[in-house]
Amino acid sequence: MKTILVTGANGQLGQCLQKHSKKYPNFTFLFCSSKELDITSKEDLEVYFQNHEIDYCINAAAYTNVEQAENEREKAFLVNAEGAENIAAICKANNAILIHISTDYVFNGKANEPYKETDEVGPINVYGASKLKGEEGITSILNEHFIFRTSWLYSEFEHNFYNTIQRKADEKAELNITTSQLGTPTNANDLAEYILDIINSGSTDYGIYHFSNEGEATWYDFAEEILDYSEKRDRVILNKTGFFKTLAERPEYSVLSKEKVINHFGPIKDWRISLHQLIDEK
């Protein structure tokens, strides 16, 4: 029986992994919140791994506030870079396989076709730079790793764009949503299931992979689809805006190519289909 440690278990991906873990009775899961297991502490990690035999570690712990990272650079790098390196080192010392979550924000957004894993990286904000540093740390320390770059994660859990739009609709608010960024909304439930299926398969095709739902959209497209399918479109005034001022610069284009991950591990749902399924669940 495989034992799987999930760090950052109270985040949205962590909660999705908890939700879908019930489908895998052949696994033993250890879910740790960031308070229960601090990945920035080598000592905490050493003690935890001494007390548990870990086969896989899914590192879902991260500093994810893109805006705040601009003012908290040291904290973002502590968690996303140093923490990732700590996880890689402890996994290597204990013969555990690491599954780490990264981001489309490692790219600069100047491309005009979906980014492949081999494309040149060049983050334009602190968050992206900290996540790239984490990737580099992992790949330099540990061979037995899967790194999944993903984009625009949402789910029924935690603070995210999907939940914000649903709440604003219930409040009958006026919304100004940007059309200047093109990417792919990704249901965190799909990523969670995909990761667990890979573990279940026993694959050793280690490396960096891109995972998002299929298709592409602007944030305005995403908001409109949420409202239309939820039958709340008439509750809000939805305005397009070409520019939305933010502290952190965002890549204008961050669609990820899924060719590699699909060839290795199987198909991925279109973002609209996955969004509709989530809404239908509620």
Side-chain angles (χ1 to χ4, degrees):
M1 181 175 284
K2 296 171 183 174
T3 299
I4 302 167
L5 167 64
V6 178
T7 63
N10 284 355
Q12 68 168 329
L13 179 59
Q15 291 187 63
C16 288
L17 286 162
Q18 292 187 57
K19 172 183 171 182
H20 295 285
S21 66
K22 301 172 181 62
K23 303 172 187 174
Y24 299 85
N26 54 320
F27 296 164
T28 297
F29 286 93
L30 302 170
F31 292 103
C32 290
S33 69
S34 297
K35 289 183 178 179
E36 293 167 327
L37 182 59
D38 180 4
I39 67 169
T40 69
S41 170
K42 293 179 182 179
E43 293 75 18
D44 286 1
L45 288 169
E46 286 171 0
V47 169
Y48 195 89
F49 273 73
Q50 285 170 4
N51 292 330
H52 302 86
E53 291 189 8
I54 310 297
D55 297 298
Y56 287 83
C57 174
I58 304 174
N59 182 32
Y63 182 107
T64 59
N65 191 322
V66 178
E67 285 291 276
Q68 203 165 315
E70 296 297 308
N71 292 322
E72 294 186 342
R73 181 183 179 88
E74 288 187 8
K75 187 173 181 181
F77 272 82
L78 177 64
V79 178
N80 293 341
E82 190 174 326
E85 292 176 12
N86 292 343
I87 286 280
I90 199 71
C91 283
K92 182 176 182 178
N94 290 272
N95 298 312
I97 297 168
L98 174 60
I99 298 175
H100 177 74
I101 312 305
S102 191
T103 175
D104 57 327
Y105 280 20
V106 299
F107 297 110
N108 65 15
K110 304 303 182 185
N112 53 19
E113 62 181 18
Y115 281 103
K116 295 181 179 179
E117 290 81 355
T118 52
D119 286 338
E120 183 179 356
V121 292
I124 57 175
N125 56 44
V126 171
Y127 169 71
S130 69
K131 293 297 286 184
L132 178 59
K133 181 71 172 169
E135 287 187 14
E136 293 169 344
I138 290 168
T139 56
S140 69
I141 293 168
L142 179 69
N143 292 325
E144 294 77 18
H145 67 263
F146 296 93
I147 294 174
F148 289 98
R149 293 173 179 156
T150 190
S151 67
W152 299 18
L153 275 187
Y154 71 93
S155 68
E156 67 270 43
F157 303 112
E158 296 299 306
H159 175 73
N160 57 63
F161 186 83
Y162 168 80
N163 283 332
T164 297
I165 295 299
Q166 292 283 17
R167 185 183 74 252
K168 292 293 186 181
D170 293 338
E171 295 170 357
K172 299 183 178 179
E174 181 172 357
L175 299 171
N176 297 311
I177 309 294
T178 183
T179 59
S180 65
Q181 298 166 42
L182 195 66
T184 308
T186 303
N187 188 334
N189 288 282
D190 290 351
L191 177 56
E193 288 188 286
Y194 209 83
I195 288 170
L196 294 175
D197 283 344
I198 289 171
I199 294 175
N200 196 44
S201 75
S203 174
T204 56
D205 292 331
Y206 304 126
I208 295 176
Y209 292 90
H210 289 173
F211 182 98
S212 67
N213 284 117
E214 290 279 42
E216 58 185 45
T218 66
W219 289 107
Y220 180 90
D221 296 332
F222 188 21
E224 190 172 47
E225 193 69 25
I226 293 168
L227 294 170
D228 284 347
Y229 197 79
S230 300
E231 298 182 342
K232 296 179 180 179
R233 184 66 176 80
D234 59 347
R235 296 188 189 181
V236 301
I237 299 172
L238 185 62
N239 302 316
K240 292 182 180 180
T241 179
F243 176 75
F244 192 80
K245 187 176 181 180
T246 56
L247 186 62
E249 189 177 355
R250 261 65 167 191
E252 292 180 5
Y253 181 92
S254 63
V255 179
L256 300 174
S257 169
K258 273 75 69 177
E259 181 179 0
K260 179 182 176 182
V261 78
I262 289 171
N263 286 342
H264 279 79
F265 304 118
I268 301 171
K269 297 172 190 171
D270 181 86
W271 74 267
R272 285 184 174 85
I273 291 172
S274 193
L275 172 64
H276 296 173
Q277 289 175 341
L278 180 63
I279 294 170
D280 287 341
E281 282 180 10
K282 300 190 80 173

